[in-house]
Amino acid sequence: MDVSHILNNLNDAQRDAVTAPLGNMLVLAGAGSGKTRVLVHRIAWLIAAEGLSAHQVMAVTFTNKAAREMRGRLEELLGYANRNMWVGTFHGLAHRLLKMHWREAKLNENFQILDADDQLRLVKRIAKQLDLDESHWPARQIVGFINAQKDEGRRAAHIDPGQGDLYQRTMLRAYTAYEEACERSGIVDFAELLLRAHELWLYHPELLQLYRQRFGHILVDEFQDTNTIQYAWLRVLAGDVVSITAVGDDDQSIYGWRGAKIENIQQFSRDFSEPRMVRLEQNYRSTANILNAANAVISHNSDRLGKELWTEGLEGEKIDFYAGFNEQDEARFVVDEIQKHVNNGMARTELAILYRSNAQSRVMEEALIRAGVPYRIYGGQRFYDRLEIKNALAYMRLLNNRHDDAAIERVINTPVRGIGAKTVETMREYARDHGCSMWHAGSSLIVNKHLPNRAASCLEDFYNLIEKLDNDTTELDLADIADHVITVSGLIEHHKKEKGEKGQARVENLEELVSACKVFEPAEDSEEERSLLAEFLDTAALDAGEAQADEFEDSVQLMTLHSAKGLEFHTVFMVGVEEGLFPHKMSISEPGRLEEERRLCYVGITRAMHKLYITIAESRRMHGSETYNTPSRFVKEIPVEYLNEIRMQAKVSRPMSFGRAAPSSASFDNYAIPETGIALGQRVIHSIFGEGVVLNFEGQGKSARVQVNFDNQGSKWLVLAYANLQVI
Ligand code: ATP
Ligand code: MG
């Protein structure tokens, strides 16, 4: 086989690494220097040139997405697909191992995985059983304790109850009860996957032996973010038998808060014999401006292993910095820029919006939805994305609108009520042919007796159910509607019948939906007449995955900075880069955590290949309160020659905020809101709320909304057209 193509497009250092004889190797290099490329090409080389067979190779990546990409690249390089190869995340590989050896691992054959939300819920229940007061012993803290113990390889039985240490004893009690509960119902959380897989080596030397003989080489990407148990698992598996290639970058270690040990990089040279050390210094990803900015930021960290990173690439465009007037303005700016790029022919998948915390995505999502731009969010399933919640919402949507076809499709036979795929297909056809809704189609089919008797009667039952739900709930408030719907529709019953933890979690989620309805307040104090149910459904729909693009649709990529690791995009928007948000206010006072935040910033900047935008919102409403913000210290660490400050496009002309303190609302006093006769800073009176000061606005003319800080009622957003404000 001709293998030369495997070595094409590699520089000398990369080629040396790829073709090095089997043995331990540590590639330590900066972002975009080709570490992942070396890893993939090395696998191809070992198989094509060194005669390893595919099933002798194990490759560990950081995300499933990365694993899929790696398989694709390998297929290209080798010219054939290979299913035998073990390519995956630590969790994925551990899962595979446990599936094969469930007996030895003392698991049920069909053990279930407990995701993070389910785990939290289980712990909540356990805490209740143990009479632990939630305000003293938050479930999250207990989960944190349990996971941290597992990540260090410790079971409850290994932990010393401590002498009179209440914290230790309480946590231990919870951990023990949790272990028992998982054992009883045959479930395994994420950390448990790793721990069990590790114990498999420890308690079953014959298995360990088998795998040591099997694997010829192990390759690990993003090595800087391995935790104790992952490292131990590798260490034991490899022994002195299997060699390892580890690639990583200490400057990109961003999971310390979850137990990752940057020290594993140094530990590697001690634990694995005669490792070949490889440095890669040329960056192929980013323009010089972007790379220089990244280098400047990360140089503020201490204790770095130290790497030089340079590029032959073009200087490129400067980094655009935009300070939005508020979070809406920030989002509008980002979406406008996105549309410009798309109009110029760029694929949406080449555009990424990266943010520090999940909660920030919401405003961006809303702006994208309004502009009709398809987008996708990576990582984590949100509440309104969950199957059972979508089902419940579908019933509620039908109360609101019978002609909601998607809702009908979703719940017509959930819970099962004997309406088969054939009936649904007949309805679809009828609806298509007559240009009517599914609901309408169904009733026509019944009336005209176009359905077999049994099918018709089942369908009729469904129609009656919806009508009855509607009639019974007309007088109820939102939470009671939800409660009624989940019960009478049979959803609760349906999930209660489901065995095990999953079903239980789904029932709890449905109950949480009722609580969500209880606390639901329309997003703004708009005075439009709209039923609360409709408004709630809209809000939920915005939140749910149905607003997301299909996996294969060309769509803008949204994700947290953490989940962007290892990826690259033509254009990146880093949003909300504000002091207090990023670096997060919790980490500002702790040097170690601040440095981790800075590494996260380095990761973010280095995702961009050609163009980077950094944005902030000078005032931001989040978690129900409003903050005034300055640009993050990380922005100030970027030398000004790499930055281009975009002038505010909004209709507000005022001095730019970059580099100076946040404006008080007084700084844009007297700015007249176009076509409204009202100005910022002006005192106004409202018939119900009384007197206040106009602080902020969005839109103009009839649709303008203003924020007024009322003397006695606090700040509210009002639609000007309805608010009837009188200028004092
Ligand atoms: P990160 O630290 O972000 O994970 P990395 O070191 O793994 O980055 P890669 O993703 O492997 O870097 O490579 C970065 C980009 O540079 C990719 O688009 C890759 O195809 C390209 N690249 C790497 N090496 C070369 C090369 N020798 N010639 C041309 N392009 C290259
Ligand atoms: Mg990489």
Side-chain angles (χ1 to χ4, degrees):
M1 173 177 180
D2 177 23
V3 293
S4 59
H5 68 282
I6 296 176
L7 304 181
N8 288 344
N9 300 316
L10 295 174
N11 65 30
D12 291 347
Q14 291 173 333
R15 193 174 303 122
D16 285 351
V18 166
T19 57
L22 270 186
N24 295 316
M25 172 152 76
L26 179 63
V27 181
L28 188 62
S33 59
K35 295 183 296 298
T36 303
R37 172 182 282 224
V38 161
L39 196 143
V40 174
H41 284 242
R42 181 156 170 78
I43 297 175
W45 177 261
L46 291 176
I47 293 174
E50 295 283 337
L52 243 60
S53 85
H55 86 276
Q56 289 179 288
V57 175
M58 175 156 94
V60 189
T61 61
F62 205 75
T63 59
N64 292 317
K65 183 170 159 62
R68 273 195 303 277
E69 272 165 26
M70 193 169 284
R71 283 176 182 281
R73 287 290 294 142
L74 281 168
E75 203 175 312
E76 248 169 68
L77 286 172
L78 292 171
Y80 56 87
N82 220 308
R83 278 172 224 295
N84 284 331
M85 210 177 318
W86 283 47
V87 180
T89 61
F90 277 109
H91 290 105
L93 296 171
H95 182 237
R96 184 168 179 172
L97 207 56
L98 294 175
K99 275 281 177 201
M100 293 169 65
H101 305 290
W102 54 273
R103 265 197 204 89
E104 292 92 332
K106 299 207 170 56
L107 290 166
N108 298 334
E109 187 171 5
N110 296 313
F111 67 90
Q112 280 184 24
I113 298 182
L114 193 69
D115 69 18
D117 286 330
D118 295 346
Q119 185 189 27
L120 183 66
R121 230 157 266 131
L122 175 58
V123 166
K124 271 191 184 150
R125 274 210 304 285
I126 286 171
K128 209 176 254 166
Q129 282 160 17
L130 295 180
D131 262 340
L132 297 177
D133 177 7
E134 170 88 26
S135 59
H136 276 94
W137 308 102
R140 262 175 217 290
Q141 187 182 24
I142 302 175
V143 167
F145 177 87
I146 292 173
N147 291 347
Q149 297 306 319
K150 290 190 180 185
D151 285 345
E152 292 292 322
R154 281 192 291 269
R155 298 222 166 266
H158 300 148
I159 301 172
D160 175 7
Q163 300 265 306
D165 179 340
L166 181 63
Y167 173 81
Q168 182 87 348
R169 275 186 289 126
T170 310
M171 289 295 150
L172 192 53
R173 246 178 3 128
Y175 187 7
T176 310
Y178 174 80
E179 269 186 338
E180 284 165 11
C182 291
E183 200 70 42
R184 261 199 315 277
S185 37
I187 45 180
V188 171
D189 63 44
F190 287 140
E192 182 75 24
L193 285 172
L194 301 175
L195 182 51
R196 289 260 172 171
H198 186 237
E199 288 173 346
L200 214 49
W201 298 155
L202 300 186
Y203 303 146
H204 297 276
E206 72 292 350
L207 268 183
L208 175 60
Q209 196 55 29
L210 199 78
Y211 281 96
R212 277 183 178 169
Q213 278 162 7
R214 169 187 173 148
F215 288 122
H217 199 61
I218 299 173
L219 305 95
V220 189
D221 201 358
E222 307 278 3
F223 186 69
Q224 75 280 357
D225 272 325
T226 48
N227 67 19
T228 302
I229 193 86
Q230 290 165 342
Y231 185 85
W233 184 76
L234 279 177
R235 180 74 199 94
V236 174
L237 170 58
D240 294 326
V241 186
V242 190
S243 58
I244 295 194
T245 294
V247 314
D249 177 5
D250 57 310
D251 287 333
Q252 294 187 70
S253 164
I254 54 177
Y255 281 95
W257 56 284
R258 236 166 54 180
K261 293 278 181 335
I262 211 171
E263 304 85 333
N264 286 343
I265 296 180
Q266 280 121 321
Q267 193 61 33
F268 186 90
S269 341
R270 288 194 284 272
D271 283 351
F272 293 88
S273 64
E274 298 169 31
R276 174 191 289 257
M277 305 297 277
V278 177
R279 298 257 172 181
L280 307 172
E281 298 187 328
Q282 182 171 0
N283 171 295
Y284 288 91
R285 179 180 295 147
S286 309
T287 62
N289 274 332
I290 293 170
L291 187 62
N292 290 339
N295 284 340
V297 169
I298 198 65
S299 73
H300 287 79
N301 270 6
S302 54
D303 288 338
R304 302 172 57 214
L305 296 177
K307 297 176 297 284
E308 286 307 314
L309 208 52
W310 56 276
T311 175
E312 269 178 359
L314 300 172
E315 190 179 303
E317 284 181 39
K318 289 192 178 179
I319 298 168
D320 281 342
F321 174 82
Y322 181 76
F325 170 44
N326 58 19
E327 76 279 7
Q328 307 285 342
D329 182 42
E330 181 193 27
R332 184 194 48 72
F333 170 79
V334 170
V335 173
D336 283 354
E337 290 297 307
I338 284 176
Q339 286 183 311
K340 276 186 219 160
H341 286 294
V342 171
N343 290 341
N344 286 336
M346 192 182 299
R348 294 189 199 95
T349 43
E350 286 300 321
L351 301 165
I353 304 178
L354 309 182
Y355 35 84
R356 175 67 184 83
S357 62
N358 272 312
Q360 283 171 263
S361 76
R362 178 58 188 282
V363 184
M364 290 291 156
E365 285 184 66
E366 285 172 1
L368 289 163
I369 291 169
R370 268 201 301 276
V373 178
Y375 68 93
R376 254 194 94 69
I377 297 190
Y378 275 94
Q381 217 192 12
R382 301 162 57 159
F383 184 71
Y384 290 108
D385 282 343
R386 295 178 161 251
L387 173 97
E388 62 280 12
I389 298 300
K390 286 182 151 184
N391 290 343
L393 290 174
Y395 278 103
M396 291 165 76
R397 273 157 53 191
L398 286 176
L399 300 191
N400 199 46
N401 168 20
R402 303 283 195 280
H403 306 294
D404 186 333
D405 286 355
I408 293 232
E409 294 261 4
R410 184 169 264 288
V411 293
I412 189 163
N413 199 34
T414 307
V416 178
R417 52 175 67 90
I419 302 177
K422 191 129 181 282
T423 307
V424 180
E425 186 48 40
T426 315
M427 286 169 70
R428 271 191 217 115
E429 262 170 31
Y430 188 98
R432 246 195 327 265
D433 294 347
H434 294 76
C436 65
S437 68
M438 295 267 289
W439 178 268
H440 191 94
S443 50
S444 302
L445 289 170
I446 295 173
V447 172
N448 299 327
K449 304 213 183 316
H450 284 329
L451 291 173
N453 282 346
R454 216 187 102 65
S457 109
C458 291
L459 191 58
E460 221 171 326
D461 286 349
F462 174 67
Y463 275 63
N464 292 338
L465 171 68
I466 301 294
E467 296 294 355
K468 180 169 159 39
L469 279 175
D470 197 0
N471 287 334
D472 293 352
T473 53
T474 39
E475 301 291 317
L476 301 183
D477 70 14
L478 185 57
D480 289 337
I481 296 179
D483 198 17
H484 192 81
V485 163
I486 59 177
T487 316
V488 178
S489 66
L491 281 177
I492 291 264
E493 216 27 60
H494 172 66
H495 291 303
K496 273 194 178 148
K497 273 189 244 144
E498 234 176 309
K499 268 208 236 76
E501 186 58 27
K502 263 259 134 56
Q504 172 76 21
R506 291 196 200 280
V507 169
E508 286 175 3
N509 273 334
L510 286 172
E511 288 162 358
E512 256 180 54
L513 179 65
V514 179
S515 338
C517 287
K518 276 203 187 104
V519 298
F520 176 71
E521 284 176 29
E524 271 94 32
D525 316 47
S526 90
E527 300 191 352
E528 284 174 65
E529 276 295 326
R530 290 199 56 192
S531 96
L532 204 55
L533 174 61
E535 203 142 341
F536 178 73
L537 291 172
D538 282 355
T539 311
L542 285 180
D543 246 331
E546 282 184 351
Q548 281 206 38
D550 287 343
E551 191 169 354
F552 301 106
E553 187 177 355
D554 179 29
S555 50
V556 175
Q557 315 283 301
L558 267 67
M559 66 195 83
T560 61
L561 288 152
H562 279 100
S563 32
K565 198 164 68 149
L567 307 180
E568 61 189 19
F569 305 92
H570 179 284
T571 294
V572 168
F573 296 85
M574 263 169 79
V575 301
V577 190
E578 296 146 21
E579 197 64 15
L581 198 54
F582 185 34
H584 198 273
K585 54 178 171 298
M586 311 266 274
S587 49
I588 286 174
S589 54
E590 257 182 70
R593 291 177 67 180
L594 181 62
E595 296 211 341
E596 182 151 309
E597 293 279 299
R598 190 176 278 108
R599 291 194 292 270
L600 190 57
C601 182
Y602 176 76
V603 167
I605 297 175
T606 53
R607 296 312 94 198
M609 299 164 80
H610 298 283
K611 178 78 194 177
L612 175 65
Y613 293 84
I614 295 178
T615 65
I616 72 163
E618 292 184 337
S619 82
R620 179 183 294 280
R621 264 176 292 158
M622 225 171 125
H623 311 307
S625 66
E626 180 140 11
T627 54
Y628 293 93
N629 313 301
T630 49
S632 161
R633 69 188 69 195
F634 303 147
V635 178
K636 295 175 187 166
E637 288 166 5
I638 300 176
V640 286
E641 66 256 41
Y642 306 129
L643 281 173
N644 169 44
E645 210 178 318
I646 305 264
R647 296 274 142 195
M648 177 112 32
Q649 298 170 337
K651 314 86 202 174
V652 182
S653 55
R654 56 192 168 101
M656 289 307 300
S657 63
F658 178 59
R660 58 175 188 78
S664 70
S665 58
S667 72
F668 37 99
D669 268 6
N670 302 328
Y671 174 76
I673 306 170
E675 303 160 42
T676 59
I678 288 192
L680 295 180
Q682 205 161 37
R683 281 194 75 77
V684 292
I685 187 160
H686 181 272
S687 57
I688 297 170
F689 304 133
E691 283 186 33
V693 180
V694 180
L695 283 189
N696 207 341
F697 79 99
E698 289 166 12
Q700 43 185 299
K702 272 234 162 300
S703 63
R705 300 179 332 114
V706 292
Q707 184 188 28
V708 182
N709 190 14
F710 290 103
D711 300 346
N712 298 321
Q713 307 273 334
S715 128
K716 297 193 184 298
W717 282 87
L718 305 169
V719 177
L720 253 190
Y722 302 106
N724 201 12
L725 296 175
Q726 306 294 326
V727 176
I728 302 177

